[in-house]
Amino acid sequence: MPYVDIVTVLAVLQFVVFGFKVARARGRFGVKAPATTGNEVFERHFRVQQNTLEQLVVVLPGLYLFGHYISPLIAAALGVVYLIGREVYAAGYVRDPAKRGPGYGLSFFPALFLLIGGLFGAVRALFYLS
Amino acid sequence: MPYVDIVTVLAVLQFVVFGFKVARARGRFGVKAPATTGNEVFERHFRVQQNTLEQLVVVLPGLYLFGHYISPLIAAALGVVYLIGREVYAAGYVRDPAKRGPGYGLSFFPALFLLIGGLFGAVRALFYLS
Amino acid sequence: MPYVDIVTVLAVLQFVVFGFKVARARGRFGVKAPATTGNEVFERHFRVQQNTLEQLVVVLPGLYLFGHYISPLIAAALGVVYLIGREVYAAGYVRDPAKRGPGYGLSFFPALFLLIGGLFGAVRALFYLS
């Protein structure tokens, strides 16, 4: 499923870039490791990265299972929506945490849809098997 | 392996529900993003979610590899024990963090067993191949 | 791909061991759950574990996709470099957070290389398919 695999890598690379931004904010605002608090803007970057980690464990199994049971192309397309949603989320959160909602929804709902689709596909496969 | 895939989705959905409870606690106890501290009950919900994230990277590869090399049915059954253990863990932690031990064990040991079984299966496969 | 699967399990087990060290530091330095701050050495162990969680979502898909599209043996070998890099990272961080750089690089670059290799392989597979 090369389409799904490409989107998988892009989702992980996006997370890596968010991590770079945390490291840059660490330097810029003088937040010394192991601290993860002390500067509001640093904390925003940090929370964007941490929340993206939480979303990755939803979207990666979702991409794989939806791609396997339903359609790799639709899975990849939903994954692209997720990627865009995460960019909107990150930009919104860093500007103003109160405005993180729309980007959150735009990334969370495709991820959830992938996962529920994968569940549906697996349950259906169970009935075909038996 | 539809059984394994169903349990995989359920483990991720359980994590999503723990995330909803963090968001609800954020509102209820007035912990404004990006903060993740400031109210003890919020912090309990947050730690339940974060610890479940840590467990997911153990149990998901474990489910897959045990299912692949040993038995999908036994993998799924151990996954169900993990799911129940996580519920016990979450309920115990929110009531009193000092009582999180039993639920932790009930979710960690099946996860570890899945992983070690997967390792055993992979090593065995290596000898069959050579 | 038994080689890749063995390294996958070892990477997760390494993370589990880092988690044990967090639990031990919790007891030793009296950091009561749900707190994750309050003692500098505890926080170092905690950040080692959290950062390793962040690296696992890079290296595990990387191992799988590089192994699938390019070479399971090279994937496993890069995975072993990652494992060693993480040990260097953890030891360095706990001694002095300012010295976490070399171990970080030694684990991050193989993980990134695995991921980029997987991306390359998936894109190449797309052209073969069409």
Side-chain angles (χ1 to χ4, degrees), chain C:
Chain C
M1 307 192 292
Y3 286 111
V4 164
D5 294 339
I6 289 167
V7 175
T8 294
V9 172
L10 294 180
V12 175
L13 286 178
Q14 184 184 47
F15 171 70
V16 167
V17 170
F18 291 159
F20 287 160
K21 290 181 178 173
V22 173
R24 197 180 54 183
R26 208 177 253 296
R28 191 173 288 174
F29 302 111
V31 179
K32 282 222 170 7
T36 57
T37 53
N39 173 279
E40 161 83 18
V41 179
F42 169 81
E43 288 179 37
R44 292 176 190 179
H45 282 288
F46 184 62
R47 287 303 308 153
V48 165
Q49 186 212 17
Q50 295 299 307
N51 188 273
T52 303
L53 181 57
E54 296 165 18
Q55 295 300 311
L56 276 177
V57 302
V58 181
V59 80
L60 296 190
L63 275 167
Y64 179 78
L65 295 174
F66 195 104
H68 179 68
Y69 286 114
I70 315 274
S71 154
L73 259 183
I74 299 173
L78 285 163
V80 169
V81 177
Y82 162 87
L83 286 169
I84 295 167
R86 275 286 109 183
E87 288 302 320
V88 174
Y89 170 79
Y93 201 137
V94 170
R95 229 176 305 127
D96 178 2
K99 284 173 188 151
R100 71 193 190 280
Y104 184 83
L106 194 59
S107 55
F108 176 67
F109 288 112
L112 191 65
F113 193 83
L114 284 164
L115 200 66
I116 300 289
L119 179 62
F120 171 79
V123 170
R124 194 181 54 180
L126 210 64
F127 282 99
Y128 282 148
L129 284 178
S130 58

Side-chain angles (χ1 to χ4, degrees), chain A residues 40 47 54 65 69 93 115 122, chain B residues 2 5 12 15 33-34 49-50:
Chain A
E40 161 82 18
R47 287 302 309 151
E54 296 165 18
L65 295 174
Y69 285 115
Y93 202 137
L115 199 66
Chain B
D5 294 337
V12 175
F15 171 69
Q49 187 214 15
Q50 295 300 307

